[in-house]
Amino acid sequence: MSLLPFDQKEGYLWLNGKTVVWKDATIHPLTHGLHYASSVFEGVRIYNGKAFLLSEHIERLHQSAKILGFKIPYSTDDIITATHDLLAKEKIDVGYIRHFAWRGSEQLRIYTPTPSTRLGIAAWAFPTTLFNIETKKPLKLTSRITWRKPDPTTAPTVSKAACLYPICFMSKHEAIQQGFDDALMLDYRGLIAESTASNVFLIMDGAVHTPIPDCFLDGITRQTIIKLAKQLGIEVIERHIKPEELAQTQEVFLTGTTCEIESISQIDEQQFEAFGPITMRLIAAYRDFVAKRTAANS
């Protein structure tokens, strides 16, 4: 089945303070954000017509922009209100929201002392398998790829910035060309970091181990899973993890806004228990958390 290109979608999006017809939303091709990747974004899930953990995402959007040296001219409350208004207009039950901010087109050069900042919000229907996990298949990853997560002194690694994502999509393309679903990315030190767009967790002898996010994004879903695991009495250990430790690992899963929770059955030649007992406990806990939060916001 072919997918409709995004620029042909029907409906509305929010752009620079106004709700506009989706197909009429345009920016100038000489915008700073396009040429120099001075752009930040967030992805937010929609469950039961409600934006999930919206304020946490918008606060991170502001922080990401600050790291890149520009200020979004709308408060967190302003953006939350605009998001709710857009969802009411679009009437999406299960879907995804993309908030994105970028430097404008006044100056096309590296030094921009007084940049304008643009902000857009788009929402569309997007499926979830969180509540019917039996339809999911475990993923297979490879760590044998060209690219690594960069040293934090060479890139704004704690922000959700567009400039960080070329190595992600290049790595995923490389992994898929090798017959895998995604890449397990190592960092500049050769330690386990994350997948191309999701945080990674390893289960070793009943404890949850996850890399310290010192050169990649500390995901909001990651933070939620850590809290839920501790509430369940599961030990959580954040530490630097070497690739060879996969040999002592029983379960592996990924977390992220888009993927929610994905079970991993294989990394290179190493096999793991798909949808193992601790993974399933955390999926159930996350599912309950989503249901309670969205019900509370109804």
Side-chain angles (χ1 to χ4, degrees), residues 129 133-139 250-253 261-265 272-281 283:
T129 55
I133 201 68
E134 65 277 0
T135 65
K136 278 199 172 187
K137 293 182 179 180
L139 303 182
Q250 293 81 49
E251 303 173 44
V252 181
F253 64 88
I261 303 178
E262 293 275 13
S263 179
I264 305 303
S265 63
F272 310 100
E273 183 178 0
F275 297 103
I278 292 181
T279 301
M280 290 303 296
R281 285 183 69 191
I283 288 173

Side-chain angles (χ1 to χ4, degrees), residues 5 26 31 36 62 65 81 101 126 138 169 180 187 231 251 257 263 294:
T26 59
T31 189
Y36 297 120
H62 278 288
T81 298
F126 191 79
F169 72 71
F180 293 88
D187 68 17
Q231 290 172 10
E251 303 173 44
T257 295
S263 179
T294 52

